[in-house]
Structure formats: C-alpha cells, structure tokens
Amino acid sequence: MPETTPLIDATGLCRDYGALRAVDDVDLRLERGEIVGLLGQNGAGKTSTMDMLCGVLAPTAGAIAIDGVDLLESPRTAKRALGYLAEHPPLYPDMSVRGYLAFAAALHGVPRAGRGDASDRVMSLCGLKDVAHRLIGNLSKGYRQRVGIAQAIVHDPAAIVLDEPTVGLDPIQIRAIRGLIADLGREHGIILSTHILPEVQALCSRVAIMHHGRILHGGPMSAFTDDTAVDRITVTLRRAPVDSELHAIEGITGVEHLAPGRLRLTLDPTRDVPERVAEAAVHAGWGLLEMTPDRASLEQLFVELTTADTAEASA
Ligand code: ATP
C-alpha cells in the first residue's frame, strides 16, 4: 500500500434524519501524524459525521475509506484501523479498568494471548496503571475519559476519532487529556470534534469548521499563525500615496482606507509583497510608520462563517 493512502478518506458524506439533512456533502481526509479539529456549534453535525466515519451510523450518501479499505463494503477489516471515543462511551461501572480494557481488546479482535499486554500498554499510555484494579464506576470523570480513550486505542489503530474528548472535565483534567491526545497524534492520525476554539488552537494541525451540516472552511492551522502567508497587512504612512501608486506594486489586490494615512492592503500571499511595499515606501518617501500582518484569527473566521450562514438562512 503506498504511503500516501489517507487514514480516513470520506467523500460526499450525507446523513438525513427524516426531512433534516444533518450532514450535507462532507469531504474529510486524515493523514498519519495529523490532528484534525472538527469545529462547530451544538447541532452542527459533528457527532453524526464521526458516527458515520466510525461505521456506527449509516450514511444516506457518500463513501468512506479507512486506510484504503471501504468501510461500507468491508466494515470489519476497515474498523481494525479505527478507534473511536464516542460522545457517550459504553463504559461498564462494575468492571475493573484492566478487566474492561481486556474486554475491549477482545471486542476489537485482539487475540486472547495478546489482550493482557494490550491492556497494560494502553494503561501506561493513558496514565491508568495506578487505577488498574479500581472499578470504573468509582473513578473521577477525568479518569473515566482516559479509560474511554484507552478502549479506543487498545487494538493500536492507525486512525483515532474522538468526539468532544474534554467535555465536562476540570482544567487540570483537560490539560492531562490534551497532553495525551498530543502524544497520540504523533504516531497516529486523530480527528477530534469540539466546540472549544482554544482546544483546536492547542492541539490541531488542521481545522474543519462545520455549520448546518456543511464544512465551510478546511485548512491548516498555520494559516492563523504563519506570518509568511499573510494576505492582508495594515500600513500607516506619514504621506500616503494615491491608490494607483499602491496598485502599481505587483501583488497588491486591494486598498482600503481605515483612517488618514492608515491603509489595509490585500495581497497575494504567495509573493513577497510586504517587502515591496517597504521598498516603495522608502524610495518614494511615504514615511512608513507601521506595517503589521493582518491575519484573521480562528475565532474571527469561525464567527464570520457561522453567523454569515445563519443570516443567509434566515434572510
Ligand atoms: P453537539 O455538539 O450538540 O453534539 P453535533 O455537532 O454533534 O452537536 P449532531 O449531534 O450530529 O451535531 O446533530 C446534527 C443535527 O441532527 C441536529 O440538528 C440534531 O438535532 C439532529 N439529530 C442528531 N441525531 C438525530 C436523530 N437520531 N434523530 C433526529 N435528529 C437527529
């Protein structure tokens, strides 16, 4: 199998509940070493999407391949490469942690002889060794969440899907679970759903913003942090030129006047436009006082996309 086969490759996913199209033509890919954040408000369609990716909900339309295997045609084989922490994971309160993880290993098809080792391995990874013999029902919510993650990875799947993994946890527990997810993300590929923006910022290499069942934005998190890929800058000039002089600089696609001498320039991010603006300012004596990259934050983009769509829908 070529190395480029995505761990998860979903195309054209749709899910209807009666007349409601809860997931609408969603494409989603996951590569090894990536943590993809599926971000959306309550009811955006995140859980329905993840349930379909993990083979627990039938799509109304679309195709899903897990590590190159068609999930709908060969669900048992495909699911071997997949671990899922559902929104409400099926934990049995009367079982011990170790007993439950061995049971989960059996359900995931780990041969009997390997189940003890598999349980020990994930207990180490998830920080559960000290509670191995405790009953799940007596654990704190944070530890129960770790057990939920441990059962999802006990068969060492390549792709891990986590539905709101930190919901309802206290800040210390959130830190611990995020640390665990970051560690797992290095070796596996992870899709996690959340409606917490800082969670995406802290963990994810890529984000997909979902609203009313559709992915409205998908792209790398570096777009929000990388100064070399800015497509807008704000400049303050003591003697601002006429717009045509700015438009004459290759790569400038828009000029907006914010205040006297203060301009927002829209640029082609693939060219060295800020350098050219600085050069032009020096040569022409525009008196450059300030030049700042003007990046949209994830929060701005999220609010823009989700409220614009709502306004459109209600118009
Ligand atoms: P949350 O963050 O609240 O869990 P979500 O983004 O995971 O939300 P879903 O749970 O996938 O969203 O729900 C998407 C839409 O589908 C919602 O409008 C929800 O009410 C609806 N829905 C989900 N499951 C069902 C169902 N079994 N029957 C009918 N409607 C459903």
Side-chain angles (χ1 to χ4, degrees), residues 15 17-18 20-23 40-49 57 87 163-164 193 195 210:
R15 172 68 201 197
Y17 297 108
L20 173 74
R21 176 143 287 195
V23 178
Q41 297 170 348
N42 291 124
K46 305 181 298 292
T47 296
S48 301
T49 301
L57 180 71
E87 198 174 11
D163 195 355
E164 301 200 11
S193 84
H195 50 257
M210 196 165 190

Side-chain angles (χ1 to χ4, degrees), residues 115-167:
R115 290 175 201 161
D117 284 351
S119 307
D120 289 342
R121 184 183 64 82
V122 289
M123 282 193 297
S124 288
L125 265 176
C126 299
L128 289 166
K129 278 176 127 174
D130 292 344
V131 297
H133 302 290
R134 297 262 301 273
L135 295 183
I136 290 174
N138 295 338
L139 297 178
S140 69
K141 186 151 174 36
Y143 270 89
R144 281 207 297 275
Q145 200 68 344
R146 290 186 199 204
V147 177
I149 295 176
Q151 66 76 33
I153 59 172
V154 71
H155 54 307
D156 199 19
I160 304 169
V161 177
L162 305 170
D163 195 355
E164 301 200 11
T166 60
V167 75

